Amino acid sequence: MPMVAATAVVAPAVAQAAASELPADVQSAIKQGDYVKAQEALLAALKGKEITPTSAEVLQQAMLLELIRTTDAEVMSAYAAKSDDRKKFLAEFAADAEWQELYLGCGLVPYKTEVGIDVLYRIWKDQKGKVKNKGLAVALASVWGGGETDPNPPILKKDPSRYNPVWRYNFFQKNASRMHPNYKNLRPWELRFTVGIPQQDWDDESFEWALENINVPWDRYDYACWAAVYTDPSYFGDSVQGGMYNYPYADISWAEATHRNGGVCGAMSHLGCVAAMAHGIPAYTVGQPGHCAYGFRLKRGDWRGGFGGPDGGMHNRIFGNQAPTSYLLMETVYKDDAKIEKAYRHSYCAKALEAMGDVDGAIAMWKKTLDISPLHPFFRASLHKLMKQKKYSSDAVYTYLSDLIPMYKKNGFAAVNVTADLKDEIAGMTDDQKADLYGKMHKMIAGTPSSWAVKVEDIMKAQSESLKDAAAREKYLSTLFATHMSAEDATTFGQVLEWAVKTYVEGGQEEIFSKAFSKAAASAGTSGKADAEQVKKMTAAYNKAIIAAEQARSAPAFKSLTEAALKVCGKCPVDIALKGSADLSGKPAKAALFRISTTSQYDAPAWHINITTPTGGKCHTSKEEKPYMIVELPERESLTGCIIRKTDGNEGRMTKATVYTSEDGATWKPRESTDNMPKEWVVKFPDGTPGKWVKVEFENAKPDFAHISHFVIYTK
C-alpha cells in the first residue's frame, strides 16, 4: 500500500483573525473564571461600536461572545471552578482566536455542555499546553459533544478506557504518515468523519487493529468489510441476537473480534467503516430498514457505499441524518474554504447583534452572511427566527421564498426543509402563492440526486392538504407528474407515483390520477401531433414511470402503472411455454415487483411484469459489466427454484450468471452459478430456502446488454 511522506499532519487552520488585546474587564473576569461576568463585559465593550468582521478587535470579541453563548456562561464558570488547570486552559482558549474559529466553524458545536471544552482541555493537558493539530482536536470535541441540533448525552456514559479522545488524537498524530494522501488536507468538519463517533463507532483499539491489519487500495474500501466472514450463528453456535456472540473475544477490540468470529451486517459495516477511518478516510455507518451499511469518501463530494451504502440514516452527520441529502448539502455548504470562513465570521457578528438586542441590525448581518453562504441551514434558521419575531407578512415571506428556493439546485430537499421554519406564514398564503412555491420546490427536487432512502410522501401530503381548493390540488398533482417526469433521477418520480397511487387510485379517485398523469404525459410530447405520435409519447412516459416505480421499489405504483400502460401500448406479444417447469416442485409465484439494473431504448417496461409469469415478457438493460434483474414476492416464502429464459436472438451475450436469494433485499446469498448459461436455465434451491427476493446477475468481460423473456420463481 502506498504511503504518504512522513510529515506531521496539521489540519489546515482557518486564517487567524488579527490578534488584539481583549478589554481589561473581560480579561479580569476570565482570569477569575467568571464567564457570566465576561459575557456582560463583552456586551458592554461592543456597545456603540460598528459590529463588522472587518474589525479584528470586534471580530475577536464577537467570537468569544459566541463561544460563551454556545457553551453557556454558567457551564464555563462551573468548569473553570473545578481546578486551576482548567481555569488556565479556558483563559488560553479564550485568548486564542485561531482555535476558537476552528472550534466554532467545525459543523456541530457542543451546546450548553462542558463536553466540548473538556475534550480540548484533556488534549491540551496531555500535550503539555502545546496542541499542534488544533483542527483534529476540535473535530474530536465536536463528535464527542454533539451540537444544538444533535445533542449527545450518551457519550458521558461510554467507557473512558475504551473511548478516549486523547488516545485518538495521539493515534492520528502518530500515524499521520500512514493516512490516505488527502488526509493532510482535511478541515475540521471533514476530520469529524475520520475520528469516529463514540456513541456508534467502535473502541480505540479497533482503530489500531484496523490500521495494522486491513490495508486495501484506497478506492476499494467498499470491500474492507469482507475482512470478516458473514455468519450467524458464530463458530461457537451463538446467535448474533444473543449476548454471547462475542464472548470468547471479550478482551480484544471489536474489530479483531469481528475478524475472528464474523458477524452480520452491523458488525461487517462497522468493520469496513473503522478500516476507512483508521486510514484517514472520512466514513460513516448508515442505518437502513433491517440492515446496516456504510459510506466512505476519497475526495470532496465523492461518497461511495459499502455493504449497500451510502444511503440511509447517517450515524455521523452535520445537517440532518438522511443520506444522500445530508451529505450533499454538507458538501455544498463547505466546498469553498474561503467563503465558509468569511460567512462564519459574519455569523458571529450577527449573533453579537442579536445578543445586544439589535434585531434589525442582526437581520441585516444575517442577510450578508447568507449572501456568502446561502444554503447553510443553521444560518438560515437564525434569520427566520428574527423574521418571525418581526412578524413578516405572508406576502413578504412569499417574495422572500420565491427568490430563495431557486438557489437550491442539486439540494431540493433542503429547500423544503428550510421553509419549515415559516410554515405559519406559508399557511396564510393564497393557493396560487403556495402552488407557485411548491412548483419551485419540486423543480429543485427533480434536479437533486436522490435514492430510495429519501422519502417525499410527507412533503407531498402536507403540500396537497394545505391547498384549500380541489381544483388546485388536482393541478398540483399534474404539476408533480410533469416536473418529476422530466427528471434525470427517476427515484423521486417513483415515490411521487407511489404516493399518488395510494392517495388517488386506492382512495377511489382513479379518474383524477389518470387525468393528471395523462395530461402530464401528453405534455411531454408535442401538442397538436397526430394521435399515433401522442400514443408514442404516452407509452414513453408510462415506461419511464414504471422504471421509476421499480427504482423506488414501489409495488403499488408498479402494478397500477403497468395496468394503465397496457391500455395504451397493448398486451405483450410473447407467449412461450417453458419446458423446464416439470423439473421444479411447487408452483409459479405471483410477483409484486420486477426490477432491472438499467433500462435502454430496447426495453419494454410495460411488459416487465409478464417476465415473472410462465407466458413471458420483455426486458433489456443498457450495456453493463454486471447487469441484473430482481423479482420481489409479496411475502417471504419457501422457495423451490426459478427458471430464467433468454430472449430469442443474441443469446451469446449472456454466458456467466449467478442466481441469488435474499430475505431482506440487501444481503444476497448465492445459490447457483454458471459459465455457460443455457437458453432456458432451471435453478433448484435447497429445500426450505427462505426468501422474498431473487436476483440473477450476469458477468460480462466488457460492458454488454442483458435481455430475458422469463424470470419465474417457484414456491412450495
Side-chain angles (χ1 to χ4, degrees), residues 627-642:
Y628 64 81
M629 295 87 180
I630 297 174
V631 176
E632 177 181 338
L633 303 181
E635 304 290 341
R636 180 177 177 272
E637 296 200 42
S638 181
L639 311 176
T640 62
C642 66

PDB file of all heavy atoms in Angstrom, residues 627-642:
ATOM      1  N   PRO A 627     -25.003  -6.510 -15.379  1.00  0.00           N
ATOM      2  CA  PRO A 627     -26.445  -6.226 -15.396  1.00  0.00           C
ATOM      3  C   PRO A 627     -27.198  -7.259 -14.558  1.00  0.00           C
ATOM      4  O   PRO A 627     -26.747  -8.389 -14.400  1.00  0.00           O
ATOM      5  CB  PRO A 627     -26.809  -6.342 -16.869  1.00  0.00           C
ATOM      6  CG  PRO A 627     -25.775  -7.264 -17.445  1.00  0.00           C
ATOM      7  CD  PRO A 627     -24.512  -6.996 -16.676  1.00  0.00           C
ATOM      8  N   TYR A 628     -28.334  -6.847 -13.999  1.00  0.00           N
ATOM      9  CA  TYR A 628     -29.093  -7.788 -13.176  1.00  0.00           C
ATOM     10  C   TYR A 628     -30.585  -7.518 -13.278  1.00  0.00           C
ATOM     11  O   TYR A 628     -31.035  -6.459 -13.703  1.00  0.00           O
ATOM     12  CB  TYR A 628     -28.647  -7.722 -11.710  1.00  0.00           C
ATOM     13  CG  TYR A 628     -28.901  -6.402 -11.032  1.00  0.00           C
ATOM     14  CD1 TYR A 628     -30.163  -6.071 -10.523  1.00  0.00           C
ATOM     15  CD2 TYR A 628     -27.873  -5.464 -10.878  1.00  0.00           C
ATOM     16  CE1 TYR A 628     -30.399  -4.868  -9.899  1.00  0.00           C
ATOM     17  CE2 TYR A 628     -28.103  -4.246 -10.247  1.00  0.00           C
ATOM     18  CZ  TYR A 628     -29.374  -3.954  -9.760  1.00  0.00           C
ATOM     19  OH  TYR A 628     -29.609  -2.756  -9.151  1.00  0.00           O
ATOM     20  N   MET A 629     -31.377  -8.517 -12.857  1.00  0.00           N
ATOM     21  CA  MET A 629     -32.823  -8.403 -12.713  1.00  0.00           C
ATOM     22  C   MET A 629     -33.205  -8.974 -11.348  1.00  0.00           C
ATOM     23  O   MET A 629     -32.617  -9.959 -10.900  1.00  0.00           O
ATOM     24  CB  MET A 629     -33.577  -9.174 -13.810  1.00  0.00           C
ATOM     25  CG  MET A 629     -33.367  -8.649 -15.219  1.00  0.00           C
ATOM     26  SD  MET A 629     -31.895  -9.407 -15.967  1.00  0.00           S
ATOM     27  CE  MET A 629     -31.895  -8.637 -17.582  1.00  0.00           C
ATOM     28  N   ILE A 630     -34.184  -8.370 -10.688  1.00  0.00           N
ATOM     29  CA  ILE A 630     -34.625  -8.809  -9.366  1.00  0.00           C
ATOM     30  C   ILE A 630     -36.136  -8.968  -9.363  1.00  0.00           C
ATOM     31  O   ILE A 630     -36.865  -8.087  -9.830  1.00  0.00           O
ATOM     32  CB  ILE A 630     -34.225  -7.791  -8.274  1.00  0.00           C
ATOM     33  CG1 ILE A 630     -32.702  -7.675  -8.182  1.00  0.00           C
ATOM     34  CG2 ILE A 630     -34.810  -8.192  -6.910  1.00  0.00           C
ATOM     35  CD1 ILE A 630     -32.228  -6.588  -7.230  1.00  0.00           C
ATOM     36  N   VAL A 631     -36.588 -10.090  -8.845  1.00  0.00           N
ATOM     37  CA  VAL A 631     -38.019 -10.325  -8.637  1.00  0.00           C
ATOM     38  C   VAL A 631     -38.287 -10.239  -7.136  1.00  0.00           C
ATOM     39  O   VAL A 631     -37.597 -10.879  -6.333  1.00  0.00           O
ATOM     40  CB  VAL A 631     -38.461 -11.702  -9.167  1.00  0.00           C
ATOM     41  CG1 VAL A 631     -39.931 -11.939  -8.838  1.00  0.00           C
ATOM     42  CG2 VAL A 631     -38.237 -11.788 -10.674  1.00  0.00           C
ATOM     43  N   GLU A 632     -39.289  -9.449  -6.772  1.00  0.00           N
ATOM     44  CA  GLU A 632     -39.707  -9.348  -5.380  1.00  0.00           C
ATOM     45  C   GLU A 632     -41.087  -9.973  -5.231  1.00  0.00           C
ATOM     46  O   GLU A 632     -42.013  -9.646  -5.990  1.00  0.00           O
ATOM     47  CB  GLU A 632     -39.759  -7.887  -4.938  1.00  0.00           C
ATOM     48  CG  GLU A 632     -40.251  -7.696  -3.507  1.00  0.00           C
ATOM     49  CD  GLU A 632     -40.324  -6.242  -3.088  1.00  0.00           C
ATOM     50  OE1 GLU A 632     -39.628  -5.410  -3.713  1.00  0.00           O
ATOM     51  OE2 GLU A 632     -41.084  -5.931  -2.140  1.00  0.00           O
ATOM     52  N   LEU A 633     -41.237 -10.863  -4.260  1.00  0.00           N
ATOM     53  CA  LEU A 633     -42.521 -11.501  -3.983  1.00  0.00           C
ATOM     54  C   LEU A 633     -43.295 -10.684  -2.955  1.00  0.00           C
ATOM     55  O   LEU A 633     -42.703  -9.901  -2.199  1.00  0.00           O
ATOM     56  CB  LEU A 633     -42.303 -12.921  -3.466  1.00  0.00           C
ATOM     57  CG  LEU A 633     -41.489 -13.854  -4.381  1.00  0.00           C
ATOM     58  CD1 LEU A 633     -41.377 -15.238  -3.757  1.00  0.00           C
ATOM     59  CD2 LEU A 633     -42.104 -13.941  -5.775  1.00  0.00           C
ATOM     60  N   PRO A 634     -44.609 -10.858  -2.889  1.00  0.00           N
ATOM     61  CA  PRO A 634     -45.387 -10.085  -1.909  1.00  0.00           C
ATOM     62  C   PRO A 634     -44.995 -10.384  -0.471  1.00  0.00           C
ATOM     63  O   PRO A 634     -45.004  -9.494   0.378  1.00  0.00           O
ATOM     64  CB  PRO A 634     -46.830 -10.532  -2.180  1.00  0.00           C
ATOM     65  CG  PRO A 634     -46.820 -11.049  -3.578  1.00  0.00           C
ATOM     66  CD  PRO A 634     -45.468 -11.654  -3.776  1.00  0.00           C
ATOM     67  N   GLU A 635     -44.660 -11.636  -0.181  1.00  0.00           N
ATOM     68  CA  GLU A 635     -44.306 -12.050   1.169  1.00  0.00           C
ATOM     69  C   GLU A 635     -43.092 -12.968   1.130  1.00  0.00           C
ATOM     70  O   GLU A 635     -42.745 -13.516   0.083  1.00  0.00           O
ATOM     71  CB  GLU A 635     -45.479 -12.797   1.840  1.00  0.00           C
ATOM     72  CG  GLU A 635     -46.778 -12.027   1.894  1.00  0.00           C
ATOM     73  CD  GLU A 635     -46.721 -10.853   2.857  1.00  0.00           C
ATOM     74  OE1 GLU A 635     -45.823 -10.860   3.722  1.00  0.00           O
ATOM     75  OE2 GLU A 635     -47.576  -9.946   2.739  1.00  0.00           O
ATOM     76  N   ARG A 636     -42.459 -13.138   2.268  1.00  0.00           N
ATOM     77  CA  ARG A 636     -41.369 -14.108   2.414  1.00  0.00           C
ATOM     78  C   ARG A 636     -41.958 -15.509   2.285  1.00  0.00           C
ATOM     79  O   ARG A 636     -42.939 -15.841   2.945  1.00  0.00           O
ATOM     80  CB  ARG A 636     -40.698 -13.928   3.773  1.00  0.00           C
ATOM     81  CG  ARG A 636     -39.546 -14.868   4.061  1.00  0.00           C
ATOM     82  CD  ARG A 636     -38.967 -14.493   5.416  1.00  0.00           C
ATOM     83  NE  ARG A 636     -37.887 -15.375   5.829  1.00  0.00           N
ATOM     84  CZ  ARG A 636     -38.074 -16.499   6.509  1.00  0.00           C
ATOM     85  NH1 ARG A 636     -39.299 -16.886   6.844  1.00  0.00           N
ATOM     86  NH2 ARG A 636     -37.037 -17.236   6.869  1.00  0.00           N
ATOM     87  N   GLU A 637     -41.360 -16.331   1.413  1.00  0.00           N
ATOM     88  CA  GLU A 637     -41.899 -17.662   1.168  1.00  0.00           C
ATOM     89  C   GLU A 637     -40.782 -18.701   1.150  1.00  0.00           C
ATOM     90  O   GLU A 637     -39.589 -18.374   1.183  1.00  0.00           O
ATOM     91  CB  GLU A 637     -42.657 -17.682  -0.168  1.00  0.00           C
ATOM     92  CG  GLU A 637     -43.879 -16.771  -0.192  1.00  0.00           C
ATOM     93  CD  GLU A 637     -44.847 -17.171  -1.289  1.00  0.00           C
ATOM     94  OE1 GLU A 637     -45.066 -18.382  -1.472  1.00  0.00           O
ATOM     95  OE2 GLU A 637     -45.371 -16.263  -1.965  1.00  0.00           O
ATOM     96  N   SER A 638     -41.185 -19.960   1.085  1.00  0.00           N
ATOM     97  CA  SER A 638     -40.240 -21.058   0.947  1.00  0.00           C
ATOM     98  C   SER A 638     -40.052 -21.304  -0.546  1.00  0.00           C
ATOM     99  O   SER A 638     -40.979 -21.741  -1.241  1.00  0.00           O
ATOM    100  CB  SER A 638     -40.776 -22.315   1.642  1.00  0.00           C
ATOM    101  OG  SER A 638     -39.854 -23.375   1.527  1.00  0.00           O
ATOM    102  N   LEU A 639     -38.851 -21.029  -1.041  1.00  0.00           N
ATOM    103  CA  LEU A 639     -38.578 -21.074  -2.477  1.00  0.00           C
ATOM    104  C   LEU A 639     -38.072 -22.453  -2.884  1.00  0.00           C
ATOM    105  O   LEU A 639     -37.299 -23.085  -2.163  1.00  0.00           O
ATOM    106  CB  LEU A 639     -37.532 -20.021  -2.842  1.00  0.00           C
ATOM    107  CG  LEU A 639     -37.770 -18.601  -2.308  1.00  0.00           C
ATOM    108  CD1 LEU A 639     -36.602 -17.697  -2.676  1.00  0.00           C
ATOM    109  CD2 LEU A 639     -39.072 -18.038  -2.849  1.00  0.00           C
ATOM    110  N   THR A 640     -38.495 -22.909  -4.066  1.00  0.00           N
ATOM    111  CA  THR A 640     -38.002 -24.197  -4.568  1.00  0.00           C
ATOM    112  C   THR A 640     -37.057 -24.036  -5.752  1.00  0.00           C
ATOM    113  O   THR A 640     -36.269 -24.932  -6.039  1.00  0.00           O
ATOM    114  CB  THR A 640     -39.176 -25.104  -4.978  1.00  0.00           C
ATOM    115  OG1 THR A 640     -39.914 -24.477  -6.047  1.00  0.00           O
ATOM    116  CG2 THR A 640     -40.117 -25.341  -3.794  1.00  0.00           C
ATOM    117  N   GLY A 641     -37.132 -22.893  -6.440  1.00  0.00           N
ATOM    118  CA  GLY A 641     -36.236 -22.676  -7.579  1.00  0.00           C
ATOM    119  C   GLY A 641     -36.751 -21.589  -8.496  1.00  0.00           C
ATOM    120  O   GLY A 641     -37.705 -20.875  -8.170  1.00  0.00           O
ATOM    121  N   CYS A 642     -36.126 -21.476  -9.658  1.00  0.00           N
ATOM    122  CA  CYS A 642     -36.560 -20.480 -10.637  1.00  0.00           C
ATOM    123  C   CYS A 642     -36.168 -20.928 -12.038  1.00  0.00           C
ATOM    124  O   CYS A 642     -35.304 -21.801 -12.209  1.00  0.00           O
ATOM    125  CB  CYS A 642     -35.955 -19.107 -10.341  1.00  0.00           C
ATOM    126  SG  CYS A 642     -34.155 -19.029 -10.537  1.00  0.00           S
TER     127      CYS A 642
END
